[in-house]
Structures are given as C-alpha cells and as structure tokens.
C-alpha cells in the first residue's frame, strides 16, 4: 500500500489474453508510476499488438517491444 495526500492507495497491473483472461498480475503502491511494470508484465509473451493505458506510453517501452 502506498500513501498519498488522499490516504492509502494501490494499483493493480494486469496482463490479459485476447478474451480478457488474466495472465500476470502486479500490485504496486498507488503513487508509483505505471511504466516500470510494463516490461515485467509483457516479458516472455509473443504478441503483435499491445493495448495499454497512456501511463505505459514510455519511449523505452516502445523501443523494447519492437526489438
């Protein structure tokens, strides 16, 4: 659990398959940024497309996914 001015919070980061079944789950403190979780959530999966929240839109992630 993280603490912010509004109190305690947390974020759930989830990788799902094409029909929404959860594959991986990460729980972080609410004040932590989203993008550091992306690589660990996607690592090991082969995919043609990734749909993600804009919090995951880091250039380093984009560069990593096209390798």
């Amino acid at each position: 659990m993280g603490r912010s001015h509004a109190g305690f919070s947390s974020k759930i980061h989830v990788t799902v398959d094409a029909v929404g079944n959860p594959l991986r789950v990460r729980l972080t403190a609410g004040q932590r940024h989203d993008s550091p979780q992306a690589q660990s959530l996607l690592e090991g999966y082969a995919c043609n497309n990734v749909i993600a929240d804009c919090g995951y839109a880091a250039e380093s992630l984009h560069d990593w996914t096209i390798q």
Side-chain angles (χ1 to χ4, degrees), residues 4 12 23 27 29 37 42 44 54 57 62 64-65 67:
S4 69
I12 301 171
L23 302 172
L27 181 64
Q37 303 307 314
L42 296 171
C54 62
H62 180 265
W64 177 80
T65 58
Q67 291 180 5

Side-chain angles (χ1 to χ4, degrees), residues 2-53:
R3 184 169 197 111
S4 69
H5 69 280
F8 289 108
S9 64
S10 58
K11 289 183 182 177
I12 301 171
H13 310 269
V14 182
T15 304
V16 299
D17 64 12
V19 293
N21 296 314
L23 302 172
R24 275 194 192 134
V25 177
R26 301 279 186 269
L27 181 64
T28 61
Q31 74 274 14
R32 298 283 310 265
H33 197 276
D34 295 340
S35 62
Q37 303 307 314
Q39 188 171 345
S40 68
L41 288 167
L42 296 171
E43 216 162 37
Y45 293 117
C47 56
N48 294 323
N49 298 300
V50 174
I51 300 171
D53 182 82

